[in-house]
């Protein structure tokens, strides 16, 4: 079975995968929230490449241990998905390895859960060595408990290092050992990368850092470009940015700061990813000021703002270091800022006022320098 989810390109004419989305709605979740979350799952799916051809919701008191949504419902949805010609079934919740196995048996198609999908997107987007190492680590940690006899060629994939241990070590045991060795190696590599990053951070200690953080697709990179007059990658897809990117910019009276563009947040970010992206997220945790960018035009902006606030809290960023910025005001011109800063990163409206607010907030940071920075 081909498991690649990436968009087919001219050089590799793979057909676009056809995805059928399934969500289990527990009684406490309101109807509207279920649909909103499925909308987000659809956006995630399309960000990974596949086309969404159908979606279904199952309401239950609680999931079942074997098939998550119940065997009867699974059988019914398998027929629906087959009628839609779906070759990929994506669940909005996380599944246990045995649930995935059982569901693949019923659907006769690849089954992916929410964490698996997000990991796939990160895998596609990772460019720098740091991001690639972080994503591979998260993927392997996710894969380890899911190894069943199905991944029989792992030792060959690992390039022959997978010589079986001793007499009687099964293929599965040797595969697990290969994974564990690789995980150990990646963790060591990451430690090294983290150390380098810390040294670099210490080197620029005299210049305050302003990190842009917030929900994925909120417009962080667009705002970063506007603030630093640069050209970071912007795209209307989830998780366009994985690497933090640093650049100097002037905020007021030629006072300069380092702006940091960072990876986006999302509801229920897989914990393996959070753990392995620690060094990237340290850019946010250590910043003198965090601009929490919220897409005010998004129907779920309130929930996205809450998620952002929670992640920032988990990272140890105190409210006193956060400046909330409502973005995309060009799309909701009547929206009220309620005391927050409102901008349009796209048109540049409000960005000058934002610069002054940043300068004001940083006024008390020791050594806030006043240097001339070349424009352009
Ligand atoms: N209308 C409008 N669109 C905007 C604005 N700011 C950003 N966008 C669009 O929103 C989409 C996402 O922008 P990005 O800057 O890539 O968002 P991001 O927060 O960096 O996203 P990730 O890196 O994926 O987390 C792009 O299509 C932008 O053009 C804005 O002020 N108004
Ligand atoms: Mg971005």
């Amino acid at each position: 079975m081909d498991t690649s989810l990436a968009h087919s390109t001219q050089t590799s004419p793979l057909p676009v995968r056809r995805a059928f989305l399934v969500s289990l709605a527990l009684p406490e979740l309101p109807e509207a929230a279920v649909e909103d979350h499925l909308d987000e799952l659809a956006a995630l799916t399309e960000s990974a490449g596949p086309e969404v051809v159908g979606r279904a919701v199952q309401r239950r008191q609680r999931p079942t241990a074997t098939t998550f949504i119940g065997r009867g419902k699974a059988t019914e949805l398998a027929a629906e998905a087959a009628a839609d010609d779906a070759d990929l079934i994506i669940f909005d919740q996380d599944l246990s390895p045995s649930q995935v196995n059982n569901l693949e048996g019923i659907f006769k198609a690849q089954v992916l859960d929410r964490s698996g999908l997000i990991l796939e997107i990160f895998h596609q987007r990772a460019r720098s060595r740091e991001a690639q190492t972080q994503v591979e680590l998260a993927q392997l940690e996710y894969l380890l408990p899911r190894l069943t006899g199905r991944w029989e060629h792992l030792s060959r994939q690992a390039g022959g290092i997978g010589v079986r241990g001793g007499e009687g070590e099964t293929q599965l045991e040797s595969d697990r050992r290969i994974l564990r060795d690789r995980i150990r190696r990646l963790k060591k590599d990451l430690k090294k990368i983290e150390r380098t990053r810390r040294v670099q951070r210490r080197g620029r200690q005299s210049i305050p850092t302003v990190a842009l953080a917030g929900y994925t697709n909120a417009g962080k990179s667009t705002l970063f470009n506007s603030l630093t007059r640069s050209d970071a990658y912007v795209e209307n897809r989830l998780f366009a940015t994985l690497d933090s990117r640093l650049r100097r910019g002037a905020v007021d009276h030629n006072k300069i700061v380092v702006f940091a563009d960072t990876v986006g947040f999302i509801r229920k970010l897989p914990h393996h990813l959070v753990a392995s992206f620690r060094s990237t997220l340290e850019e946010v945790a250590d910043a003198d000021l965090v601009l929490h960018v919220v897409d005010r035009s998004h129907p779920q902006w309130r929930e996205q703002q809450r998620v952002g606030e929670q992640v920032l809290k988990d990272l140890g960023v105190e409210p006193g270091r956060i400046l909330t910025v409502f973005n995309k005001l060009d799309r909701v011109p009547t929206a009220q800022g309620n005391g927050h800063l409102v901008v349009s990163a796209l048109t540049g409206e409000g960005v000058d006022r934002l610069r002054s607010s940043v300068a004001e907030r940083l006024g008390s940071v020791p050594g806030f320098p006043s240097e001339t920075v070349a424009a352009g």
Side-chain angles (χ1 to χ4, degrees):
M1 184 187 308
D2 168 47
T3 55
S4 161
L5 302 186
H7 268 299
S8 54
T9 62
Q10 276 167 334
T11 48
S12 74
L14 282 176
V16 173
R17 303 286 304 270
R18 296 171 63 83
F20 188 90
L21 312 184
V22 181
S23 178
L24 176 70
L26 300 174
E28 62 269 19
L29 200 61
E31 193 71 46
V34 175
E35 284 306 316
D36 291 343
H37 292 175
L38 264 180
D39 285 344
E40 182 173 274
L41 188 69
L44 278 170
T45 302
E46 285 172 357
S47 290
E51 174 192 354
V52 175
V53 295
R55 49 199 258 176
V57 175
Q58 160 74 326
R59 284 209 163 265
R60 279 188 79 96
Q61 290 298 316
R62 65 185 71 84
T64 79
T66 50
T67 58
F68 192 67
I69 49 173
R71 183 164 294 275
K73 187 68 180 184
T75 309
E76 180 192 320
L77 292 184
E80 242 182 77
D84 287 333
D85 243 346
D87 60 355
L88 179 63
I89 315 298
I90 305 181
F91 281 74
D92 195 26
Q93 293 81 17
D94 284 342
L95 302 169
S96 73
S98 71
Q99 286 168 338
V100 170
N101 263 334
N102 296 334
L103 288 165
E104 287 190 337
I106 296 171
F107 278 94
K108 309 262 184 293
Q110 186 191 356
V111 169
L112 205 58
D113 64 11
R114 184 180 159 88
S115 287
L117 176 64
I118 294 176
L119 283 168
E120 164 68 26
I121 296 173
F122 272 66
H123 174 76
Q124 289 176 15
R125 300 295 160 88
R127 290 285 172 272
S128 70
R129 196 168 69 86
E130 179 175 23
Q132 281 167 350
T133 310
Q134 289 171 326
V135 173
E136 188 184 351
L137 177 62
Q139 280 189 308
L140 294 186
E141 301 239 21
Y142 173 83
L143 187 60
L144 192 58
R146 288 172 173 75
L147 266 197
T148 59
R150 290 185 300 158
W151 303 75
E152 274 152 31
H153 49 294
L154 206 64
S155 45
R156 257 171 294 142
Q157 281 185 341
I161 49 162
V163 187
R164 300 247 187 128
E167 263 325 298
E169 183 181 46
T170 65
Q171 185 66 58
L172 186 58
E173 282 161 1
S174 99
D175 282 353
R176 288 215 172 104
R177 190 168 47 75
I178 292 165
L179 278 197
R180 282 201 200 93
D181 288 349
R182 181 82 189 138
I183 286 173
R184 213 168 302 125
R185 170 90 238 154
L186 289 168
K187 282 188 172 160
K188 242 173 95 187
D189 289 352
L190 269 183
K191 280 254 156 59
K192 237 186 277 171
I193 295 173
E194 272 168 31
R195 266 199 302 273
T196 315
R197 227 183 217 290
R198 286 215 186 97
V199 171
Q200 288 168 347
R201 238 196 320 268
R202 231 170 288 139
R204 49 166 224 265
Q205 234 166 24
S206 56
I207 310 173
T209 305
V210 178
L212 289 99
Y215 215 79
T216 180
N217 216 46
K220 299 176 293 298
S221 299
T222 310
L223 189 57
F224 174 83
N225 288 344
S226 168
L227 287 165
T228 63
R229 301 188 177 86
S230 57
D231 55 354
Y233 183 60
V234 167
E235 201 192 4
N236 195 15
R237 279 194 179 189
L238 306 188
F239 299 114
T241 307
L242 283 200
D243 290 298
S244 33
R245 207 185 132 132
L246 304 167
R247 205 179 151 121
R248 287 178 180 218
V251 285
D252 200 22
H253 302 115
N254 289 334
K255 285 184 169 147
I256 63 156
V257 301
V258 170
F259 285 104
D261 185 17
T262 64
V263 60
F265 307 150
I266 197 165
R267 192 174 61 83
K268 295 199 287 182
L269 198 59
H271 63 276
H272 293 315
L273 268 181
V274 179
S276 56
F277 268 75
R278 204 186 57 209
S279 72
T280 300
L281 290 170
E282 266 178 22
E283 215 58 75
V284 176
D286 282 2
D288 295 286
L289 185 65
V290 175
L291 302 184
H292 179 193
V293 184
V294 177
D295 174 357
R296 183 58 182 75
S297 74
H298 196 285
Q300 265 64 68
W301 67 271
R302 279 176 207 281
E303 186 185 6
Q304 298 189 344
Q305 184 180 3
R306 257 197 310 277
V307 170
E309 280 162 0
Q310 187 56 51
V311 178
L312 290 176
K313 194 171 163 201
D314 293 346
L315 289 172
V317 183
E318 321 75 49
R321 265 198 292 153
I322 302 173
L323 194 57
T324 302
V325 182
F326 284 156
N327 187 31
K328 307 199 188 179
L329 257 289
D330 55 294
R331 292 171 65 176
V332 276
T334 56
Q336 296 296 313
N338 288 334
H340 292 307
L341 281 160
V342 294
V343 301
S344 167
L346 204 63
T347 67
E349 206 189 318
V351 174
D352 277 339
R353 202 170 40 222
L354 170 62
R355 279 199 185 89
S356 318
S357 302
V358 169
E360 210 172 286
R361 286 289 286 270
L362 288 174
S364 56
V365 171
F368 186 44
S370 178
E371 233 179 76
T372 312
V373 70

mmCIF file of all heavy atoms in Angstrom, residues 221 233 241 261, ligand 2:
data_model
loop_
_atom_site.group_PDB
_atom_site.id
_atom_site.type_symbol
_atom_site.label_atom_id
_atom_site.label_comp_id
_atom_site.label_asym_id
_atom_site.label_seq_id
_atom_site.Cartn_x
_atom_site.Cartn_y
_atom_site.Cartn_z
ATOM 1 N N SER A 221 4.097 34.615 10.084
ATOM 2 C CA SER A 221 5.179 34.856 9.117
ATOM 3 C C SER A 221 4.918 36.120 8.311
ATOM 4 O O SER A 221 5.847 36.863 7.986
ATOM 5 C CB SER A 221 5.336 33.655 8.172
ATOM 6 O OG SER A 221 5.673 32.506 8.913
ATOM 7 N N TYR A 233 8.616 32.384 4.380
ATOM 8 C CA TYR A 233 7.628 31.610 3.646
ATOM 9 C C TYR A 233 6.227 31.763 4.251
ATOM 10 O O TYR A 233 6.001 31.538 5.432
ATOM 11 C CB TYR A 233 8.061 30.146 3.688
ATOM 12 C CG TYR A 233 7.178 29.211 2.923
ATOM 13 C CD1 TYR A 233 6.995 29.370 1.555
ATOM 14 C CD2 TYR A 233 6.535 28.160 3.571
ATOM 15 C CE1 TYR A 233 6.193 28.502 0.851
ATOM 16 C CE2 TYR A 233 5.736 27.290 2.871
ATOM 17 C CZ TYR A 233 5.564 27.460 1.512
ATOM 18 O OH TYR A 233 4.765 26.599 0.825
ATOM 19 N N THR A 241 5.342 27.125 8.589
ATOM 20 C CA THR A 241 6.635 27.372 9.235
ATOM 21 C C THR A 241 6.932 26.291 10.259
ATOM 22 O O THR A 241 6.094 26.016 11.110
ATOM 23 C CB THR A 241 6.611 28.723 9.999
ATOM 24 O OG1 THR A 241 6.188 29.733 9.101
ATOM 25 C CG2 THR A 241 7.969 29.048 10.585
ATOM 26 N N ASP A 261 10.267 34.339 14.212
ATOM 27 C CA ASP A 261 9.068 33.696 13.675
ATOM 28 C C ASP A 261 9.117 32.232 14.132
ATOM 29 O O ASP A 261 10.180 31.626 14.131
ATOM 30 C CB ASP A 261 9.114 33.774 12.144
ATOM 31 C CG ASP A 261 7.842 33.242 11.503
ATOM 32 O OD1 ASP A 261 6.824 33.113 12.205
ATOM 33 O OD2 ASP A 261 7.876 32.962 10.285
HETATM 34 MG MG1 LIG B 2 4.506 30.745 9.422
#
